[in-house]
Amino acid sequence: MIPFDFDYFRPKTLQEALQIFREQMAMGKKPYYFSGGTELITLGRVQLAKADAVIDLKKINEVRACRIDGDHIVLGSCLALTEVEESNLFPLLTKTASEIADHTSRNKITLGGNIRGGIHYREAVLPFLLADSTAVIVSAKGVTFKKMSEVFQGSLRLENDELLVQLITERKWASLPFVHVKRRRQWETGYPLVTVAALMSDNGIRVAVSGLCAFPFRSEKMENGLNSKGTGIEERIKMALDGIPATVLSDVEGSAEYRMFVLGNVLRDLVSELEGGIVV
Amino acid sequence: MRTVGSSVVRKEAWQKVTGTAKYTDDYAFAGLLHAKMVVSTMAHAIITSIDTTEAEKIPGVRAVLLGGSYPLVGEAIRDRPPIAVGKVRYHGEPVALVVADSPVLAKKAANSIQVLYEPLPVVNSATQAFEAGATLVHEKLGEYKRDNEIHPPIPGTNIASHVKIRKGDMEKGWQECDSVVEASVSLSISDHAAMETRCSIAEIGPDGKIKITTSSQAPFMVKRLISQYFGEDMGKIVVETPLVGGAFGGKAAVQLEILVYLASKAVGGRPVKLRNEREEDILTSPCHIGLDATVKLGSDRHGKIKAANIRFLWDGGAYSDKAVDLTRAGAADCTGPYAIDNVWCDSYCMYTNHPYASPFRGFSHSELSFAIERTMDLLAEKVGMDPLTFRKINAIMPGNTTPTRVLLNNSNVGNLPKCIERVHELIQWDEGEMIALDERFVRAKGISCSWKTSTIDPDAPSGVILTFNPDGTINLMSGVIEIGTGTKTVLAQLLAERLNMDVNNIYVKMDVDTQTTPEHWKTVASRGTFMAGKAVLQAAEDVIRQLKAIASCVLRAPIEDLDVADSRVFFRDDPGNGVHFKEIAYGYQYPNGNSIGGQIIGHGHYILRGLTHMNPETGEGRPGPEWTVTAHGIEVLFDRRDCTYKVLKAITVVDIGKVLNDKAARGQVMGAMSLGLSFAGRETFVFDSLGRVRNPQLRTYRPLHYSEAPEYMVEFVETPQIDAPYGARGVGEHGLLGIPAALANALSTAAGVSLQKLPLVPEMIWKAKEHVRP
Amino acid sequence: MKVHQLELRINNEKRMVVVRSADTLLAVLRRNLGLTGAKPGCLNGDCGACTINVDRLPMKSCLMLAIECEGKEITTIEGMHNTPMQQAFVEHFAFQCGYCTSGFIMNAHSLIHNRPNADNQMMKEWLDSNICRCTGYEEIERAVKDVLRKNSQIQ
């Protein structure tokens, strides 16, 4: 039950969406781009989110894209996570998406909604950080293409009226060996203690992490540590752990020390798996 | 047996699979107002101001209630203001109540109320509450009205009740011991998390008639308490309870009913509904009690336990309500199902700044089992004995006495050794307690035993009414609430069995209302089948007598020549010759029009016999009628590196006395085991240092899900309880009781470290291992 | 406009409702349409008791606005009449209190139609979306497997 009221718009084009957004802003209202909308509905119920005007994007073609385009995979921001999984254009993403929330909720939660979400896990971004994907963003100024590494700094750094339309990923990344591990406080359900996604590229292991700190990230320092050749595995893990870019969380899911313990083991396993079990 | 034992489909099954089953919140009608609570954001604080100005301005807001003008409430001790006055004592405590035209308006108004607090020091555990000089949760403990003169609160402390067991000669007991161990265990408060959040509707008529509809296990108690607390005439209070969406003890407490009664009163008696959102159901409404326990056990060199000294500090939370009874029940069965001659137990009900406790399935017994069974494993190890053999040697038997000195016989206690033997086989104990699969993974097993009697009020009643329809079918009315246990279907089976008729010709009234349904005290404590079952059998005798009386006129034969079966009364020696119920159940009409008899209405009732209060100094007394015993086994696959695990198998063997409905009984036991695994493995309130609950949603407070369930093995031993319907013992709770302990025992073996805290999350195991690492 | 008149297609009927933009589908089903089979358990997408089918897929009706459902085919438990899944739930005692049952059946019903060859893994993935507090889940597993097995025999 959402205890506030809002106007509801269902534009058919990006231009229309942007225009509504601008008009609402001009009227001093708080507009809200709505795809799955699960966060507005759930956080709104407990007074942690608010909107005066909801702009439902799901009727716009571009945000529903799900295709191979030459050497690129194009995924619209308003695809439900289950649609992303079923298309299976990017196997690592399929795996990452399939571990978010639960199956029925993923029929509603969208790719863009998860990445732009207020709940800090935003796990769907991990594969895109690893694959140097490009975010397609529109605003009043037109369409811009930005590297995910640039536009996603803990959260999606968009200007007020900017709208994430698509994510474009080179196909070569989709065929690389990968590992995705989600570890929870207990058993199979719930938020992560840590979620780790990794790809084996020509230049070594790429790794991105969610749940560990208050935001998801890919860390060059961690990767350098993990990839330092000629060093023993324990030393590599230690260097990787030293490269964690922010404070490790202690919360209801687990303490910081325990998260570090879990992450260490996850990294050991993924190195072993991606390097073919040959641990130097 | 014709019907007893068979898996008769529950009577309300098709309602439940078609969405037509109605629960309290499903009732709505024009003119219904909606209430919304404002709850405390602090665990212990002085309320410095409440500003309701904005709320009152919202059109459609009909009333805003604050505390101060209402009497104190509470079952054992009247220590709780329905709405907080002056200060709050737990996170989630109601501080204001808004009534408005719609749920949205009520919520908007509640959100607009500004409450300011000045924090007070927080009592954040039962152990802390017990310490000398602890902050007092209730400064005026001595001034409260109370019902429990036997185990009264101790003013100037946080002790709401102190129950003592003093049995045997402790000095002699310890002298006989060769091995002694002492262990401290603890488990924090958690929640019932029934899928239906609590909901109540109240309206007060111009004639003063108070109608309350509520999702409750205890509508008859609602009636009594509203009358006692507010001086209302009992006959004017009618409480209705439709189907209830799970309860597990959480709906045995009376809380929303009081609030919604006050809300209706504040708006001139108009109907008002109050439904908990999940966060309120977790925080504000009563929860599952916590426990800090210390257990000292000693045995002689043959492994016979000679002495036990037990201290329970129950975390009853901010208000004592039912926690006082939980404290008593824990003391009464404190040793677990073992024969021990010398027992000393101090069971304290502690006030803390936590959400307050209501009963939880097992009523203290799963918690005490965890304490006892962990210590049992430690003592077995010290004695150098296999834990299964150790339990068998000490298993309680007919001829032994309980901690409250009840002499057990073949009827009032089940056959524990037989349960243990069966678990022994099912878990393949002889294969070894722990089997290493490789360097990292082990399979490990743990066992436990448990028992329980039902320490309900000695004068708790249960009644049944049977009415006939003109076609000879029967309506069965009992005050048992259908909370999911299928008890009312079982009652129909008992009736069908006794009348030797088709169970499909018996209709069961699922809803209860306290004006027309005979009372069943509360639907708790696995008492439905026993007490209401006894009442059904008495009612069956009553209708048989009436049916035979009229049939004897019609058939012109003495009553003793007649028998009843298949909805007919007939000649014992000539079964083909008789009358169908439909010819006599509404009176009999002779061919010339003369008629005799009338609608047959039968009744039966039952009250427990021979229960006594416990002696305040020694605990001596008869707290319950019979003990159901169980043995449990759990097998886990444990990762020694990560400290993670999967529960592979969960086994319960329970002496059920007699299986009345096979699938329903299995379902009850399996469901209880699932609840036990969930609370043992994951569920707990996570309190911060200020006593606030950090996980009041089902995404952070996570019950067991489908993929997390183990393989279940449920088996029954049948040692009849002679005075119970067809020998059946209470079984609604027992699948749960030893499960946390068995899981802890399995994991302690697997991890090589004694795990003495719940929940058994990998982090806790990891920390325990780190702690002992050299 | 914060209040809308909508035409919803529910259980093969067209229903007109007046709703707030902010009303969830669950609230509209229960309050405006009297379809109380979908249950509020958490209003947070965590428990699945409010699960219905939208265009044959399981959806948590507490996570949708009613206004989002214009033009979609909505099926609630009230639209299910003696289906194999309902029969299997009855036969296998796959519920006790019944509060989660509507949601579980709607999810399982969608599963067998969309994934007739579902294996254990897929069953877990789908059925982890709902919480049952009463059973041990084994009864639910049996019911769903029974329907899957019978369907595969028919094919």
Side-chain angles (χ1 to χ4, degrees):
Chain A
M1 185 207 339
I2 304 173
F4 53 84
D5 287 299
F6 48 73
D7 290 311
Y8 177 84
F9 301 92
R10 193 158 39 206
K12 292 211 168 56
T13 65
L14 288 170
Q15 294 320 316
E16 211 186 313
L18 292 168
Q19 192 185 332
I20 297 166
F21 195 98
R22 271 198 308 279
E23 286 168 5
Q24 292 294 320
M25 288 288 285
M27 286 157 65
K29 298 280 181 66
K30 186 176 179 188
Y32 187 99
Y33 287 132
F34 181 101
S35 52
T38 54
E39 275 203 7
L40 182 68
I41 294 170
T42 55
L43 298 182
R45 183 178 61 86
V46 291
Q47 290 187 276
L48 293 174
K50 208 163 184 296
D52 300 312
V54 160
I55 307 169
D56 187 342
L57 305 172
K58 290 192 291 291
K59 290 284 170 193
I60 299 170
N61 282 332
E62 289 89 333
V63 297
R64 302 275 310 144
C66 184
R67 63 173 189 270
I68 302 279
D69 202 345
D71 287 338
H72 293 91
I73 299 162
V74 181
L75 295 170
S77 61
C78 292
L79 291 173
L81 291 178
T82 46
E83 292 176 304
V84 173
E85 292 166 53
E86 278 151 31
S87 74
N88 198 24
L89 299 178
F90 184 0
L92 169 58
L93 178 63
T94 300
K95 177 77 173 127
T96 303
S98 74
E99 297 256 2
I100 293 171
D102 61 61
H103 178 266
T104 304
S105 298
R106 291 200 305 277
N107 282 333
K108 193 79 193 333
I109 299 169
T110 60
L111 192 55
N114 183 266
I115 290 174
R116 208 182 169 168
I119 299 171
H120 67 82
Y121 301 107
R122 305 177 195 116
E123 289 157 281
V125 80
L126 301 179
F128 298 109
L129 291 177
L130 295 178
D132 288 332
S133 303
T134 300
V136 181
I137 294 160
V138 297
S139 70
K141 290 173 225 139
V143 181
T144 49
F145 296 85
K146 288 186 184 167
K147 283 277 160 218
M148 277 306 272
S149 54
E150 186 188 323
V151 74
F152 190 93
Q153 301 280 336
S155 62
L156 202 59
R157 303 299 168 104
L158 295 182
E159 293 302 318
N160 220 342
D161 71 329
E162 283 185 329
L163 169 58
L164 176 68
V165 181
Q166 290 166 350
L167 291 146
I168 300 179
T169 307
E170 282 184 79
R171 284 179 73 185
K172 65 175 184 184
W173 297 103
S175 54
L176 294 177
F178 67 87
V179 171
H180 169 95
V181 182
K182 181 166 182 168
R183 296 288 293 279
R184 301 168 173 92
R185 173 174 156 88
Q186 176 70 294
W187 300 325
E188 310 294 328
T189 52
Y191 285 131
L193 273 168
V194 290
T195 299
V196 180
L199 273 177
M200 190 68 190
S201 77
D202 296 343
N203 302 321
I205 296 169
R206 292 180 165 206
V207 55
V209 183
S210 164
L212 185 70
C213 305
F215 53 85
F217 61 86
R218 179 183 162 202
S219 155
E220 205 176 319
K221 248 179 112 182
M222 277 183 78
E223 287 176 5
N224 289 343
L226 217 50
N227 289 318
S228 30
K229 296 289 169 199
T231 343
I233 180 69
E234 287 311 314
E235 185 60 21
R236 288 166 64 188
I237 299 297
K238 186 181 175 305
M239 288 196 291
L241 294 179
D242 286 344
I244 293 168
T247 311
V248 175
L249 293 175
S250 276
D251 59 18
V252 298
E253 304 300 336
S255 67
E257 315 86 81
Y258 184 62
R259 278 190 158 92
M260 290 294 282
F261 166 75
V262 171
L263 179 64
N265 284 342
V266 169
L267 292 178
R268 273 178 203 99
D269 290 346
L270 77 84
V271 167
S272 162
E273 189 173 338
L274 290 174
E275 294 183 352
I278 307 154
V279 178
V280 184
Chain B
M1 293 275 174
R2 176 172 171 175
T3 311
V4 159
S6 67
S7 296
V8 171
V9 166
R10 55 170 72 232
K11 291 278 182 182
E12 78 289 10
W14 277 94
Q15 286 178 48
K16 285 181 173 174
V17 297
T18 53
T20 51
K22 288 271 189 287
Y23 303 80
T24 301
D25 186 54
D26 297 337
Y27 292 91
F29 45 88
L32 180 62
L33 301 178
H34 298 267
K36 178 74 189 168
M37 293 182 278
V38 178
V39 303
S40 168
T41 54
M42 310 283 280
H44 198 196
I46 291 168
I47 301 170
T48 54
S49 76
I50 304 180
D51 183 353
T52 61
T53 324
E54 288 303 312
E56 279 158 22
K57 278 189 211 157
I58 296 176
V61 169
R62 303 298 162 197
V64 179
L65 288 75
L66 301 179
S69 53
Y70 310 118
L72 293 173
V73 300
E75 287 203 33
I77 304 170
R78 305 259 181 103
D79 56 9
R80 184 176 94 243
I83 302 172
V85 183
K87 75 172 198 169
V88 291
R89 293 185 176 87
Y90 72 97
H91 177 204
E93 180 165 1
V95 293
L97 187 65
V98 176
V99 185
D101 289 352
S102 74
V104 172
L105 279 175
K107 187 160 178 166
K108 271 186 193 175
N111 287 347
S112 76
I113 291 176
Q114 302 292 322
V115 187
L116 296 179
Y117 300 97
E118 188 182 307
L120 292 168
V122 169
V123 181
N124 215 357
S125 75
T127 299
Q128 193 191 338
F130 194 66
E131 284 165 6
T135 297
L136 294 183
V137 178
H138 292 268
E139 302 84 351
K140 298 179 179 173
L141 191 50
E143 295 174 21
Y144 295 141
K145 267 202 248 175
R146 58 176 190 264
D147 292 340
N148 63 332
E149 289 310 318
I150 300 168
H151 303 110
I154 305 175
T157 73
N158 287 312
I159 299 168
S161 181
H162 176 196
V163 183
K164 298 176 203 168
I165 301 288
R166 305 285 183 259
K167 175 188 166 191
D169 179 343
M170 294 311 292
E171 204 175 327
K172 177 168 165 282
W174 294 121
Q175 273 169 6
E176 289 169 2
C177 293
D178 283 316
S179 306
V180 175
V181 295
E182 185 174 301
S184 294
V185 310
S186 73
L187 56 105
S188 186
I189 283 178
S190 55
D191 197 47
H192 309 81
M195 294 319 297
E196 178 204 23
T197 58
R198 297 158 177 96
C199 181
S200 301
I201 303 168
E203 66 179 299
I204 305 169
D207 53 355
K209 183 184 162 184
I210 300 161
K211 185 182 162 194
I212 296 175
T213 307
T214 182
S215 56
S216 171
Q217 291 170 268
F220 296 93
M221 192 52 61
V222 173
K223 176 168 103 173
R224 287 171 189 232
L225 292 180
I226 294 281
S227 167
Q228 283 172 21
Y229 295 155
F230 302 102
E232 300 280 5
D233 295 340
M234 224 178 261
K236 285 189 176 169
I237 306 166
V238 178
V239 184
E240 297 186 0
T241 295
L243 294 172
V244 171
F248 316 112
K251 291 171 182 166
V254 179
Q255 182 198 37
L256 295 194
E257 297 87 351
I258 294 167
L259 292 172
V260 83
Y261 156 77
L262 295 174
S264 176
K265 220 170 167 180
V267 293
R270 292 169 67 183
V272 180
K273 181 191 275 186
L274 176 58
R275 189 184 79 81
N276 275 352
E277 288 191 58
R278 177 57 64 185
E279 292 81 355
E280 294 157 338
D281 213 55
I282 288 178
L283 290 176
T284 303
S285 288
C287 58
H288 172 190
I289 203 163
L291 173 66
D292 292 343
T294 307
V295 179
K296 188 174 165 189
L297 288 180
S299 76
D300 66 15
R301 62 200 153 85
H302 308 295
K304 190 82 190 84
I305 302 172
K306 291 292 174 185
N309 191 334
I310 299 161
R311 191 185 75 179
F312 294 137
L313 298 179
W314 300 96
D315 184 350
Y319 299 104
S320 61
D321 210 49
K322 293 300 296 173
V324 167
D325 287 344
L326 286 153
T327 301
R328 180 169 54 92
D333 285 345
C334 62
T335 53
Y338 303 108
I340 308 176
D341 289 335
N342 307 299
V343 180
W344 182 290
C345 172
D346 292 287
S347 187
Y348 294 95
C349 181
M350 301 307 302
Y351 284 116
T352 65
N353 291 118
H354 287 166
Y356 69 98
S358 74
F360 178 80
R361 199 175 196 170
F363 209 73
S364 302
H365 288 65
S366 65
E367 300 81 358
L368 80 84
S369 285
F370 174 61
I372 294 299
E373 296 295 316
R374 271 309 300 137
T375 318
M376 287 292 284
D377 261 23
L378 294 174
L379 184 55
E381 195 184 339
K382 189 147 186 190
V383 178
M385 196 176 265
D386 165 70
L388 198 140
T389 311
F390 182 61
R391 284 176 171 81
K392 222 163 146 182
I393 289 175
N394 290 292
I396 200 138
M397 304 274 281
N400 297 141
T401 59
T402 73
T404 67
R405 308 186 209 181
V406 176
L407 180 64
L408 297 173
N409 60 36
N410 283 315
S411 173
N412 66 6
V413 69
N415 189 336
L416 182 59
K418 212 166 163 185
C419 295
I420 297 174
E421 276 162 33
R422 199 62 198 119
V423 165
H424 185 155
E425 291 157 15
L426 289 170
I427 203 165
Q428 295 177 284
W429 188 254
D430 294 336
E431 159 192 79
E433 270 179 79
M434 183 160 77
I435 294 147
L437 304 178
D438 56 33
E439 289 211 339
R440 250 176 87 177
F441 291 94
V442 294
R443 278 199 294 125
K445 300 162 188 178
I447 52 153
S448 68
C449 299
S450 60
W451 71 341
K452 184 179 183 295
T453 190
S454 295
T455 55
I456 64 175
D457 284 3
D459 61 348
S462 186
V464 161
I465 293 174
L466 303 175
T467 63
F468 276 76
N469 297 308
D471 64 355
T473 58
I474 304 176
N475 303 307
L476 191 162
M477 279 159 281
S478 148
V480 170
I481 307 296
E482 184 43 78
I483 53 176
T485 53
T487 305
K488 284 193 152 166
T489 303
V490 171
L491 295 180
Q493 285 180 261
L494 294 174
L495 181 62
E497 188 66 47
R498 181 62 193 91
L499 295 180
N500 197 1
M501 66 183 283
D502 184 347
V503 72
N504 293 315
N505 291 327
I506 296 169
Y507 297 90
V508 176
K509 184 174 185 299
M510 285 295 160
D511 300 357
V512 165
D513 89 75
T514 58
Q515 192 172 35
T516 62
T517 319
E519 174 156 352
H520 178 76
W521 182 65
K522 296 180 188 179
T523 304
V524 296
S526 310
R527 291 296 79 186
T529 302
F530 178 66
M531 292 175 58
K534 296 276 280 188
V536 163
L537 294 181
Q538 197 184 71
E541 296 307 326
D542 187 18
V543 297
I544 289 170
R545 186 184 51 74
Q546 296 183 49
L547 287 162
K548 281 183 179 174
I550 189 166
S552 83
C553 295
V554 176
L555 299 171
R556 284 165 255 186
I559 285 173
E560 53 272 24
D561 287 2
L562 302 177
D563 212 342
V564 169
D566 298 309
S567 299
R568 288 172 69 248
V569 186
F570 52 84
F571 288 102
R572 212 184 284 277
D573 60 352
D574 181 14
N577 194 358
V579 284
H580 193 275
F581 286 176
K582 67 184 172 195
E583 296 171 74
I584 53 175
Y586 256 61
Y588 177 79
Q589 190 176 56
Y590 288 96
N592 70 352
N594 288 174
S595 298
I596 55 168
Q599 184 186 11
I600 290 179
I601 300 170
H603 74 277
H605 56 79
Y606 184 73
I607 194 159
L608 288 166
R609 77 178 140 78
L611 299 194
T612 59
H613 297 297
M614 285 164 70
N615 179 298
E617 292 309 317
T618 66
E620 189 174 0
R622 189 182 193 86
E626 97 290 1
W627 281 257
T628 298
V629 292
T630 52
H632 309 266
I634 283 189
E635 184 175 337
V636 295
L637 177 64
F638 183 74
D639 179 339
R640 287 190 280 200
R641 187 195 73 175
D642 287 355
C643 300
T644 53
Y645 64 93
K646 185 175 159 52
V647 181
L648 299 175
K649 266 184 206 153
I651 300 165
T652 293
V653 178
V654 51
D655 191 339
I656 193 170
K658 170 78 187 167
V659 177
L660 298 177
N661 181 321
D662 187 60
K663 279 189 185 173
R666 274 172 204 288
Q668 280 302 298
V669 175
M670 245 191 296
M673 292 166 76
S674 173
L675 204 62
L677 280 175
S678 195
F679 115 70
R682 186 161 61 203
E683 291 180 35
T684 186
F685 285 3
V686 180
F687 291 102
D688 66 11
S689 60
L690 300 175
R692 295 174 300 191
V693 181
R694 303 328 288 166
N695 57 336
Q697 294 189 324
L698 295 180
R699 61 176 66 174
T700 43
Y701 184 96
R702 294 187 288 270
L704 204 73
H705 283 60
Y706 177 91
S707 68
E708 297 166 329
E711 177 192 345
Y712 290 103
M713 299 171 101
V714 174
E715 287 206 6
F716 298 117
V717 168
E718 293 187 315
T719 309
Q721 179 190 346
I722 292 164
D723 60 340
Y726 299 95
R729 295 173 190 276
V731 79
E733 302 157 285
H734 302 76
L736 160 56
L737 304 182
I739 289 290
L743 181 63
N745 288 345
L747 289 168
S748 295
T749 298
V753 54
S754 182
L755 301 170
Q756 290 165 211
K757 262 190 179 156
L758 297 182
L760 295 150
V761 292
E763 174 164 3
M764 192 276 286
I765 302 171
W766 174 73
K767 280 191 171 148
K769 278 180 78 173
E770 288 288 294
H771 191 68
V772 297
R773 185 168 291 178
Chain C
M1 265 294 282
K2 296 184 184 184
V3 175
H4 311 258
Q5 186 168 14
L6 295 184
E7 183 182 285
L8 295 177
R9 277 193 295 151
I10 301 179
N11 302 332
N12 292 320
E13 288 177 352
K14 288 182 180 171
R15 302 289 297 264
M16 298 298 292
V17 285
V18 175
V19 305
R20 295 158 65 229
S21 317
D23 280 336
T24 60
L25 179 60
L26 175 65
V28 171
L29 290 173
R30 291 177 60 79
R31 281 213 306 277
N32 303 43
L33 297 166
L35 298 170
T36 55
K39 300 295 182 208
C42 65
L43 306 183
N44 208 44
D46 301 332
C47 79
C50 66
T51 303
I52 50 144
N53 288 179
V54 176
D55 291 341
R56 312 197 78 172
L57 288 177
M59 284 287 184
K60 294 178 177 176
S61 59
C62 74
L63 286 184
M64 311 191 81
L65 302 176
I67 199 169
E68 284 184 86
C69 300
E70 264 184 309
K72 295 186 188 295
E73 187 69 55
I74 299 165
T75 310
T76 70
I77 189 74
E78 289 88 350
M80 306 281 280
H81 301 287
N82 210 5
T83 61
M85 194 57 74
Q86 289 167 298
Q87 289 166 16
F89 266 62
V90 169
E91 188 183 327
H92 292 279
F93 283 53
F95 53 88
Q96 290 177 21
C97 82
Y99 201 80
C100 75
T101 311
S102 305
F104 249 113
I105 288 178
M106 294 313 294
N107 189 13
H109 177 80
S110 178
L111 170 69
I112 58 156
H113 279 96
N114 289 294
R115 297 285 184 276
N117 302 312
D119 58 7
N120 282 339
Q121 188 50 42
M122 183 154 294
M123 280 180 63
K124 284 181 179 180
E125 190 181 328
W126 280 57
L127 299 180
D128 263 351
S129 305
N130 301 60
I131 299 173
C132 169
R133 192 63 164 163
C134 296
T135 73
Y137 292 108
E138 187 178 294
E139 304 92 324
I140 294 171
E141 179 182 0
R142 285 202 191 131
V144 178
K145 282 188 171 165
D146 196 16
V147 180
L148 282 167
R149 187 178 51 79
K150 283 177 183 156
N151 284 358
S152 69
Q153 281 168 353
I154 294 163
Q155 285 162 2

